[in-house]
Coordinates of all heavy atoms in Angstrom, one line a residue:
P221 N -30.1 56.2 112.0 CA -31.1 55.5 112.8 C -32.5 55.9 112.5 O -33.4 55.1 112.7 CB -30.7 55.7 114.3 CG -29.8 56.9 114.3 CD -29.1 56.9 113.0
K222 N -32.7 57.1 112.0 CA -34.1 57.5 111.7 C -34.5 57.0 110.3 O -33.8 57.1 109.3 CB -34.2 59.1 111.6 CG -34.1 59.7 113.0 CD -34.4 61.2 112.9 CE -34.4 61.9 114.3 NZ -34.6 63.3 114.2
A223 N -35.7 56.4 110.3 CA -36.3 56.0 109.0 C -37.1 57.1 108.3 O -37.2 57.2 107.1 CB -37.3 54.8 109.2
I224 N -37.6 58.0 109.1 CA -38.2 59.3 108.7 C -37.2 60.4 109.1 O -37.1 60.7 110.3 CB -39.6 59.6 109.3 CG1 -40.6 58.4 109.0 CG2 -40.2 60.9 108.8 CD1 -40.9 58.2 107.6
A225 N -36.5 60.9 108.1 CA -35.3 61.7 108.5 C -35.6 63.2 108.4 O -36.4 63.7 107.6 CB -34.2 61.4 107.5
D226 N -34.8 64.0 109.1 CA -34.9 65.5 109.1 C -34.2 66.0 107.8 O -33.3 65.3 107.2 CB -34.2 66.0 110.3 CG -34.8 65.6 111.6 OD1 -36.0 65.4 111.6 OD2 -34.1 65.5 112.6
G227 N -34.6 67.2 107.4 CA -34.0 67.7 106.2 C -32.5 67.9 106.2 O -31.8 67.6 105.3
D228 N -31.9 68.3 107.4 CA -30.5 68.4 107.5 C -29.8 67.1 107.3 O -28.7 67.1 106.6 CB -30.1 69.0 108.9 CG -30.5 70.4 109.1 OD1 -30.7 71.1 108.1 OD2 -30.5 70.9 110.2
D229 N -30.3 66.0 107.8 CA -29.7 64.7 107.6 C -29.7 64.3 106.2 O -28.8 63.7 105.6 CB -30.4 63.7 108.5 CG -30.2 63.9 110.0 OD1 -29.1 64.5 110.4 OD2 -31.1 63.7 110.8
I230 N -30.9 64.6 105.5 CA -31.0 64.2 104.1 C -30.0 65.0 103.2 O -29.3 64.4 102.4 CB -32.4 64.4 103.6 CG1 -33.4 63.5 104.4 CG2 -32.5 64.1 102.1 CD1 -34.9 63.8 104.1
R231 N -29.9 66.3 103.5 CA -29.0 67.1 102.8 C -27.5 66.7 103.0 O -26.7 66.6 102.0 CB -29.1 68.6 103.2 CG -28.3 69.6 102.4 CD -28.8 71.0 102.7 NE -28.6 71.4 104.1 CZ -29.6 71.5 104.9 NH1 -30.9 71.3 104.5 NH2 -29.4 71.9 106.2
H232 N -27.2 66.3 104.2 CA -25.8 65.8 104.4 C -25.6 64.5 103.7 O -24.5 64.3 103.1 CB -25.6 65.6 105.9 CG -24.3 65.0 106.3 ND1 -23.1 65.7 106.2 CD2 -24.0 63.7 106.7 CE1 -22.1 64.9 106.6 NE2 -22.6 63.7 106.9
Y233 N -26.6 63.6 103.6 CA -26.4 62.4 102.9 C -26.2 62.6 101.4 O -25.4 61.9 100.8 CB -27.7 61.6 103.1 CG -27.9 60.4 102.2 CD1 -27.3 59.2 102.5 CD2 -28.7 60.4 101.1 CE1 -27.4 58.0 101.7 CE2 -28.9 59.3 100.3 CZ -28.3 58.1 100.6 OH -28.5 57.0 99.8
L234 N -26.9 63.6 100.8 CA -26.8 63.9 99.4 C -25.4 64.5 99.1 O -24.7 64.1 98.2 CB -27.9 64.8 99.0 CG -29.3 64.3 99.0 CD1 -30.3 65.4 98.6 CD2 -29.5 63.1 98.1
E235 N -25.0 65.4 100.0 CA -23.6 66.0 99.8 C -22.5 64.9 99.9 O -21.6 64.9 99.1 CB -23.4 67.1 100.9 CG -24.3 68.3 100.7 CD -24.3 69.2 101.9 OE1 -23.7 68.8 103.0 OE2 -24.8 70.3 101.8
T236 N -22.6 64.0 100.9 CA -21.6 63.0 101.1 C -21.6 62.0 99.9 O -20.5 61.6 99.5 CB -21.9 62.2 102.4 OG1 -22.0 63.1 103.5 CG2 -20.9 61.1 102.7
T237 N -22.8 61.6 99.4 CA -22.8 60.7 98.3 C -22.2 61.3 97.1 O -21.4 60.7 96.3 CB -24.3 60.3 98.0 OG1 -24.9 59.7 99.2 CG2 -24.4 59.4 96.8
A238 N -22.5 62.6 96.8 CA -22.0 63.3 95.6 C -20.5 63.4 95.7 O -19.8 63.2 94.7 CB -22.6 64.7 95.4
A239 N -20.0 63.7 96.9 CA -18.5 63.8 97.0 C -17.8 62.4 96.9 O -16.8 62.3 96.3 CB -18.2 64.4 98.4
K240 N -18.4 61.4 97.5 CA -17.8 60.1 97.5 C -17.6 59.5 96.1 O -16.6 58.9 95.8 CB -18.7 59.1 98.4 CG -18.3 57.7 98.4 CD -19.2 56.8 99.2 CE -18.8 55.4 99.1 NZ -19.8 54.5 99.9
H241 N -18.6 59.8 95.2 CA -18.6 59.2 93.9 C -18.1 60.1 92.8 O -18.2 59.9 91.6 CB -20.0 58.7 93.6 CG -20.4 57.6 94.5 ND1 -19.9 56.3 94.4 CD2 -21.4 57.6 95.5 CE1 -20.5 55.6 95.4 NE2 -21.4 56.3 96.0
G242 N -17.5 61.2 93.3 CA -16.9 62.2 92.3 C -17.9 63.0 91.5 O -17.5 63.7 90.6
I243 N -19.1 63.0 91.9 CA -20.2 63.7 91.2 C -20.1 65.2 91.5 O -20.3 66.0 90.6 CB -21.5 63.1 91.5 CG1 -21.6 61.7 91.1 CG2 -22.7 64.0 90.9 CD1 -22.8 60.9 91.7
A244 N -19.7 65.5 92.7 CA -19.7 66.9 93.2 C -18.7 67.7 92.2 O -19.0 68.9 92.0 CB -19.2 67.0 94.6
D245 N -17.7 67.1 91.7 CA -16.7 67.8 90.9 C -17.3 68.2 89.5 O -16.7 69.0 88.8 CB -15.5 67.0 90.7 CG -14.7 66.7 92.0 OD1 -14.9 67.5 92.9 OD2 -14.0 65.7 92.1
R246 N -18.4 67.5 89.1 CA -19.0 67.7 87.8 C -20.1 68.8 87.9 O -20.7 69.1 86.9 CB -19.6 66.4 87.3 CG -18.6 65.3 87.2 CD -17.6 65.4 86.2 NE -16.8 64.2 86.0 CZ -17.0 63.3 85.1 NH1 -18.0 63.5 84.2 NH2 -16.3 62.2 85.0
I247 N -20.4 69.3 89.1 CA -21.6 70.2 89.2 C -21.1 71.7 89.1 O -20.1 72.1 89.7 CB -22.2 70.1 90.6 CG1 -22.7 68.6 90.8 CG2 -23.4 71.0 90.8 CD1 -23.2 68.3 92.2
R248 N -21.8 72.4 88.3 CA -21.6 73.9 88.1 C -22.7 74.6 88.7 O -23.9 74.6 88.2 CB -21.4 74.2 86.6 CG -20.3 73.3 86.0 CD -20.3 73.4 84.5 NE -19.4 72.4 83.9 CZ -19.2 72.3 82.6 NH1 -19.8 73.1 81.8 NH2 -18.4 71.3 82.2
F249 N -22.5 75.3 89.7 CA -23.5 76.0 90.5 C -23.8 77.4 89.9 O -23.0 77.9 89.1 CB -23.1 76.2 91.9 CG -22.9 74.9 92.7 CD1 -21.7 74.3 92.9 CD2 -24.0 74.1 93.1 CE1 -21.5 73.1 93.6 CE2 -23.9 72.9 93.7 CZ -22.6 72.4 94.0
G250 N -25.0 77.9 90.3 CA -25.3 79.3 89.8 C -25.7 79.4 88.4 O -25.6 80.4 87.7
R251 N -26.1 78.2 87.8 CA -26.5 78.2 86.3 C -28.0 78.0 86.2 O -28.5 76.9 86.6 CB -25.8 77.1 85.6 CG -24.5 77.5 84.9 CD -23.4 77.7 85.9 NE -22.1 78.0 85.2 CZ -21.0 78.3 85.9 NH1 -21.1 78.5 87.2 NH2 -19.9 78.6 85.2
R252 N -28.8 79.0 85.8 CA -30.2 78.8 85.6 C -30.4 78.6 84.1 O -30.3 79.5 83.3 CB -30.9 80.1 86.0 CG -32.4 80.2 85.6 CD -33.3 79.2 86.4 NE -34.7 79.4 86.1 CZ -35.4 78.8 85.2 NH1 -34.8 77.9 84.4 NH2 -36.7 79.0 85.0
V253 N -30.8 77.4 83.7 CA -31.0 77.0 82.3 C -32.3 77.7 81.8 O -33.3 77.6 82.4 CB -31.1 75.5 82.1 CG1 -31.4 75.2 80.7 CG2 -29.8 74.8 82.6
T254 N -32.1 78.4 80.7 CA -33.3 79.2 80.2 C -33.8 78.6 78.8 O -35.0 78.6 78.6 CB -32.8 80.7 79.9 OG1 -31.7 80.7 79.1 CG2 -32.6 81.3 81.3
T255 N -32.9 78.2 78.0 CA -33.3 77.6 76.7 C -32.6 76.4 76.3 O -31.4 76.2 76.7 CB -33.1 78.7 75.5 OG1 -31.7 78.9 75.4 CG2 -33.9 80.0 75.8
A256 N -33.2 75.5 75.6 CA -32.6 74.3 75.1 C -33.1 74.1 73.6 O -34.3 73.9 73.4 CB -33.0 73.1 75.9
E257 N -32.2 74.1 72.7 CA -32.6 74.1 71.2 C -32.0 72.9 70.6 O -30.7 72.7 70.6 CB -32.1 75.4 70.5 CG -32.6 76.7 71.2 CD -31.9 77.9 70.7 OE1 -31.0 77.8 69.9 OE2 -32.3 79.0 71.1
W258 N -32.8 72.1 70.0 CA -32.4 70.8 69.3 C -32.2 71.1 67.8 O -33.1 71.6 67.2 CB -33.3 69.7 69.6 CG -33.1 68.5 68.7 CD1 -33.7 68.1 67.6 CD2 -32.1 67.4 69.0 NE1 -33.2 66.9 67.1 CE2 -32.2 66.5 68.0 CE3 -31.2 67.2 70.0 CZ2 -31.4 65.4 67.9 CZ3 -30.4 66.1 70.0 CH2 -30.5 65.2 69.0
S259 N -31.1 70.6 67.3 CA -30.8 70.6 65.9 C -30.7 69.2 65.4 O -29.9 68.4 65.8 CB -29.5 71.3 65.6 OG -29.1 71.1 64.2
S260 N -31.7 68.8 64.5 CA -31.6 67.4 64.0 C -30.5 67.2 63.0 O -30.0 66.1 62.8 CB -33.0 67.1 63.2 OG -34.0 67.2 64.1
D261 N -30.0 68.3 62.4 CA -28.9 68.1 61.4 C -27.6 67.6 62.0 O -26.9 66.8 61.4 CB -28.6 69.5 60.7 CG -29.7 69.8 59.7 OD1 -30.5 68.9 59.4 OD2 -29.8 71.0 59.2
D262 N -27.4 68.1 63.3 CA -26.1 67.6 63.9 C -26.4 66.9 65.2 O -25.5 66.6 66.0 CB -25.2 68.7 64.2 CG -25.8 69.9 64.9 OD1 -26.9 69.7 65.4 OD2 -25.1 70.9 65.1
A263 N -27.7 66.5 65.5 CA -28.1 65.7 66.6 C -27.6 66.3 67.9 O -26.9 65.6 68.7 CB -27.7 64.3 66.4
T264 N -27.8 67.6 68.1 CA -27.2 68.2 69.3 C -28.2 69.2 69.9 O -29.0 69.9 69.3 CB -26.0 69.1 68.8 OG1 -25.0 68.2 68.3 CG2 -25.4 69.8 70.0
W265 N -28.2 69.2 71.3 CA -28.9 70.2 72.1 C -27.9 71.4 72.3 O -26.8 71.2 72.8 CB -29.3 69.7 73.4 CG -30.5 68.7 73.3 CD1 -30.5 67.4 73.4 CD2 -31.9 69.1 73.2 NE1 -31.8 66.9 73.3 CE2 -32.7 67.9 73.2 CE3 -32.5 70.3 73.1 CZ2 -34.0 67.9 73.1 CZ3 -33.9 70.4 73.0 CH2 -34.7 69.2 73.0
T266 N -28.4 72.6 72.1 CA -27.6 73.8 72.5 C -28.4 74.4 73.7 O -29.5 74.8 73.6 CB -27.5 74.8 71.4 OG1 -26.9 74.2 70.3 CG2 -26.8 76.0 71.8
V267 N -27.7 74.4 74.8 CA -28.4 74.8 76.1 C -27.7 76.1 76.6 O -26.5 76.1 76.8 CB -28.2 73.7 77.1 CG1 -28.9 74.0 78.5 CG2 -28.8 72.4 76.6
T268 N -28.6 77.1 76.9 CA -28.1 78.4 77.3 C -28.5 78.6 78.8 O -29.7 78.3 79.1 CB -28.7 79.5 76.5 OG1 -28.3 79.3 75.1 CG2 -28.2 80.8 76.9
S269 N -27.6 79.0 79.6 CA -27.9 79.3 81.0 C -27.5 80.7 81.4 O -26.6 81.3 80.8 CB -27.0 78.3 81.9 OG -27.3 77.0 81.6
T270 N -28.3 81.2 82.3 CA -27.9 82.5 82.9 C -27.1 82.3 84.1 O -27.5 81.5 85.0 CB -29.2 83.3 83.3 OG1 -30.0 83.6 82.1 CG2 -28.8 84.7 83.9
V271 N -25.9 82.8 84.2 CA -25.0 82.6 85.3 C -25.3 83.7 86.4 O -25.9 84.7 86.1 CB -23.5 82.7 84.8 CG1 -22.6 82.4 86.0 CG2 -23.3 81.8 83.7

Side-chain angles (χ1 to χ4, degrees):
K222 287 186 178 180
I224 304 292
D226 299 330
D228 287 344
D229 295 326
I230 300 172
R231 187 168 58 253
H232 176 72
Y233 168 80
L234 295 176
E235 292 169 348
T236 302
T237 301
K240 175 181 177 180
H241 298 288
I243 298 166
D245 297 334
R246 306 291 190 96
I247 301 172
R248 302 169 191 180
F249 297 102
R251 267 73 173 172
R252 169 72 172 91
V253 178
T254 55
T255 63
E257 304 169 355
W258 170 262
S259 168
S260 295
D261 286 348
D262 54 8
T264 299
W265 286 102
T266 300
V267 180
T268 303
S269 303
T270 300
V271 186

